[in-house]
Amino acid sequence: MIHDSVENTELTPSGLRVGAYGWQHPHWMGSFYPEDLPTDWQLGYYANEFSTVLVPAQYLEAEDCDIEQWLDDVHEAFRFYLQVPTAGMSLRMFEQQCAQLGDYLAGVVAQSCLQLNLKAPIYHDDDAGDDRHRVWHPDGCGQSGVALMTLNDADLKAQRFWLEAFNQISAEPLQAVFLCDESLTLTQLRDFKTLVELMAL
């Protein structure tokens, strides 16, 4: 089993982190999470193996969202990226959640039209704004160092091509890659992380 520990992260030249879009995936029960693992223990279990996660907006909007508990569940090297809610909660409330995370917040992913008062970097996930602050997708031109990828049925060769392509066009080294497939399996996530390590990114 590959563990995304502090040492493992520091071994890569750019400190690249690999994570998933959220940690609450019902199809991970039994294949990653033990069948009897309580839902509120899943983040801690996930953080034992991976050092980052892109938090979906719906997690932040949920009534049972507990940032303090999240901080208790992860190790000190873990980093959160947050997807900015576009409806359903005020931006002020979102900014308060960001402040709660403190140094555990590595960045937020937002539409470029939003005005946010944050210390953390803001990465745009739309076609507006400049490429240097835009999230990278395999078919896009963002150069921010944060990538959102949907693997679908792409094999490791295609995934390697994507990573090499990004390194050729980007002004910034990759900092974090999030796999966003709805049906993402732990095998895919682990294999992708192994590829990153083998490529010494």
Side-chain angles (χ1 to χ4, degrees):
M1 183 180 292
I2 296 166
H3 293 280
D4 199 4
S5 63
V6 180
E7 295 80 13
N8 215 6
T9 300
E10 295 301 324
L11 284 175
T12 63
S14 63
L16 174 60
R17 297 170 183 268
V18 174
Y21 178 59
W23 62 87
Q24 298 172 359
H25 301 284
H27 64 280
W28 286 7
M29 295 303 295
S31 62
F32 178 52
Y33 300 131
E35 288 286 357
D36 58 350
L37 187 75
T39 303
D40 57 350
W41 290 13
Q42 289 180 359
L43 174 58
Y45 199 93
Y46 171 91
N48 282 332
E49 186 164 347
F50 302 99
S51 68
T52 193
V53 70
L54 175 57
V55 181
Q58 61 264 31
Y59 289 20
L60 301 167
E61 296 169 334
E63 289 184 13
D64 61 352
C65 177
D66 187 346
I67 303 288
E68 295 293 329
Q69 185 61 54
W70 293 359
L71 295 176
D72 287 342
D73 289 345
V74 301
H75 52 81
E76 63 183 19
F78 193 88
R79 293 296 176 264
F80 293 93
Y81 287 75
L82 305 184
Q83 182 184 48
V84 181
T86 55
M89 71 183 286
S90 71
L91 291 181
R92 175 175 278 183
M93 182 177 287
F94 175 75
E95 290 171 353
Q96 290 172 350
Q97 290 174 325
C98 291
Q100 276 185 280
L101 286 169
D103 291 339
Y104 286 81
L105 178 63
V108 301
V109 176
Q111 300 298 310
S112 60
C113 61
L114 294 177
Q115 299 298 316
L116 297 167
N117 182 22
L118 300 174
K119 294 179 182 178
I122 300 170
Y123 304 103
H124 302 301
D125 191 23
D126 56 22
D127 292 332
D130 65 288
D131 288 347
R132 291 179 62 91
H133 297 96
R134 189 179 305 163
V135 170
W136 182 78
H137 299 272
D139 57 352
C141 54
Q143 298 178 23
S144 68
V146 173
L148 305 182
M149 301 176 68
T150 303
L151 299 180
N152 294 320
D153 295 323
D155 60 16
L156 288 172
K157 185 175 181 181
Q159 295 168 31
R160 178 177 180 162
F161 174 80
W162 292 340
L163 291 168
E164 289 172 341
F166 178 86
N167 279 339
Q168 290 174 0
I169 67 164
S170 180
E172 299 290 333
L174 271 173
Q175 301 164 28
V177 179
F178 298 101
L179 303 185
C180 301
D181 302 70
E182 285 186 19
S183 59
L184 180 70
T185 67
L186 260 294
T187 299
Q188 289 175 307
L189 188 55
R190 288 171 174 150
D191 286 352
F192 186 84
K193 186 174 180 299
T194 300
L195 174 64
V196 166
E197 291 169 349
L198 291 173
M199 292 178 67
L201 292 174

